[in-house]
Amino acid sequence: MLFLVLSILCSVIVGVIFKISRNFSVNSIQIVVINYVTALLLCFFTFSPNVQELTVNAPWSIYIGVGILLPVVFLFLIASIAYMGIVKTDAAQRLSLFIPILAAWFIFKEDFNSYKILGLLVGFTALLFILKKQSANDSNKWIYPALVLLGFGVIDILFKQIALYTTLPYTTSLFVVFSIALVVSLIVVVYDVIAKKSKINLQNILFGALVGIFNFGNILFYLKAHKSFSDNPSTVFAGMNMGVIILGSLVGLLFFKEKISKINFIGLFLALIAIVLIVISQFK
């Protein structure tokens, strides 16, 4: 469970950094690029991945899929926030939990006991309660949050498959994924600089480096959690999503003075119960 907790912490910190960055004049696309540069360097110097181990039999389709989806889904995230607001975008991202949970049942053939089924039902109810907030943005651009939901759900499934591929060290797989994501994001930022005359400044580099450090930690510990719970991927899927919502809500309440309704508080309580039930299911 330690790896799962660390992944949740890193994920929430990334969100906090983005929240703080909105107070400055930053370019989100440039932050994405610096983020992947930092994550790639951390992966290289921390684990010294041996790319010579890569063969034609490596899961290249999965690597390429994740490498493209990571920056692309983030761009959809930015568009969704712009058109639909943060609340609806956050709801779409967290409700993407449905996709990997269904995959755990139908693709990974995981056995679900009564505790886990009850925990998931309570957890889904908690998500709806926690995310029940009013948004002032009534723009009807539902395609963006829909793509965010689908994208994050597919990314979760692909990371699970990478964690299960034991022929190569997962650190080497992580290095390959970050490399592909960097190439894709570089293409986007070059277009942004040339076509839109965007300027590269120090603020984007600093925020990008911070995001990269914790994004690296988030994905690394997420993969470690999947390896620890290799027979129970739904534990990681559910624990990660609900854990981020609980901690993120508490951080927003205590440090950013965001308003949380009574229904949201009920949702937080239900989410705690759901996590307890899922943890109990591990020992049954």
Side-chain angles (χ1 to χ4, degrees), residues 39-54:
L40 195 62
L41 290 173
L42 283 172
C43 187
F44 180 79
F45 288 110
T46 303
F47 302 110
S48 300
N50 185 5
V51 293
Q52 294 179 349
E53 296 176 337
L54 291 167

Side-chain angles (χ1 to χ4, degrees), residues 17-18 20-28 30-32 34-35 199-211:
I17 294 170
F18 277 120
I20 293 173
S21 73
R22 288 202 296 269
N23 298 322
F24 300 86
S25 179
V26 297
N27 184 305
S28 297
Q30 292 178 22
I31 290 177
V32 174
I34 301 300
N35 149 63
K199 295 182 179 180
I200 299 175
N201 59 51
L202 183 61
Q203 289 182 153
N204 297 327
I205 295 174
L206 291 175
F207 278 112
L210 283 173
V211 170

Side-chain angles (χ1 to χ4, degrees), residues 129-161:
F129 275 69
I130 292 170
L131 298 172
K132 186 174 178 58
K133 300 178 183 178
Q134 294 298 319
S135 173
N137 193 328
D138 295 323
S139 179
N140 193 28
K141 301 284 185 178
W142 284 103
I143 184 63
Y144 294 113
L147 289 171
V148 167
L149 187 152
L150 180 62
F152 275 103
V154 173
I155 286 172
D156 270 352
I157 295 171
L158 293 178
F159 267 130
K160 169 60 181 175
Q161 292 180 315

Side-chain angles (χ1 to χ4, degrees), residues 86-105:
I86 295 174
V87 172
K88 293 177 182 178
T89 302
D90 184 62
Q93 183 180 351
R94 296 311 165 194
L95 289 175
S96 66
L97 172 66
F98 281 101
I99 296 174
I101 288 294
L102 292 174
W105 199 332

Side-chain angles (χ1 to χ4, degrees), residues 62 69 99 153 214 239 256:
I62 298 176
L69 280 174
I99 296 174
F214 291 102
F256 296 101

Side-chain angles (χ1 to χ4, degrees), residues 2-229:
L2 175 62
F3 295 134
L4 186 57
V5 171
L6 290 173
S7 182
I8 291 169
L9 283 172
C10 288
S11 179
V12 171
I13 291 173
V14 168
V16 170
I17 294 170
F18 277 120
K19 190 173 184 67
I20 293 173
S21 73
R22 288 202 296 269
N23 298 322
F24 300 86
S25 179
V26 297
N27 184 305
S28 297
I29 297 175
Q30 292 178 22
I31 290 177
V32 174
V33 172
I34 301 300
N35 149 63
Y36 287 121
V37 170
T38 305
L40 195 62
L41 290 173
L42 283 172
C43 187
F44 180 79
F45 288 110
T46 303
F47 302 110
S48 300
N50 185 5
V51 293
Q52 294 179 349
E53 296 176 337
L54 291 167
T55 65
V56 292
N57 295 323
W60 286 104
S61 59
I62 298 176
Y63 290 157
I64 294 171
V66 178
I68 293 174
L69 280 174
L70 282 173
V72 169
V73 171
F74 183 79
L75 294 177
F76 286 140
L77 191 74
I78 296 172
S80 181
I81 290 173
Y83 288 110
M84 299 299 294
I86 295 174
V87 172
K88 293 177 182 178
T89 302
D90 184 62
Q93 183 180 351
R94 296 311 165 194
L95 289 175
S96 66
L97 172 66
F98 281 101
I99 296 174
I101 288 294
L102 292 174
W105 199 332
F106 293 108
I107 298 177
F108 301 117
K109 306 301 181 183
E110 178 182 342
D111 292 328
F112 278 44
N113 58 35
S114 58
Y115 284 96
K116 183 164 289 185
I117 293 173
L118 180 59
L120 291 174
L121 290 174
V122 174
F124 290 144
T125 305
L127 288 174
L128 296 175
F129 275 69
I130 292 170
L131 298 172
K132 186 174 178 58
K133 300 178 183 178
Q134 294 298 319
S135 173
N137 193 328
D138 295 323
S139 179
N140 193 28
K141 301 284 185 178
W142 284 103
I143 184 63
Y144 294 113
L147 289 171
V148 167
L149 187 152
L150 180 62
F152 275 103
V154 173
I155 286 172
D156 270 352
I157 295 171
L158 293 178
F159 267 130
K160 169 60 181 175
Q161 292 180 315
I162 288 176
L164 292 176
Y165 185 76
T166 56
T167 304
L168 284 174
Y170 64 88
T171 50
T172 301
S173 297
L174 196 59
F175 182 80
V176 174
V177 168
F178 282 146
S179 298
I180 296 171
L182 175 59
V183 171
V184 174
S185 56
L186 273 174
I187 292 172
V188 177
V189 83
V190 167
Y191 170 80
D192 187 59
V193 170
I194 295 175
K196 299 183 179 180
K197 309 298 181 183
S198 299
K199 295 182 179 180
I200 299 175
N201 59 51
L202 183 61
Q203 289 182 153
N204 297 327
I205 295 174
L206 291 175
F207 278 112
L210 283 173
V211 170
I213 291 170
F214 291 102
N215 189 32
F216 171 75
N218 174 30
I219 296 176
L220 173 65
F221 293 128
Y222 187 69
L223 286 174
K224 282 180 172 287
H226 266 305
K227 291 181 75 70
S228 297
F229 293 98

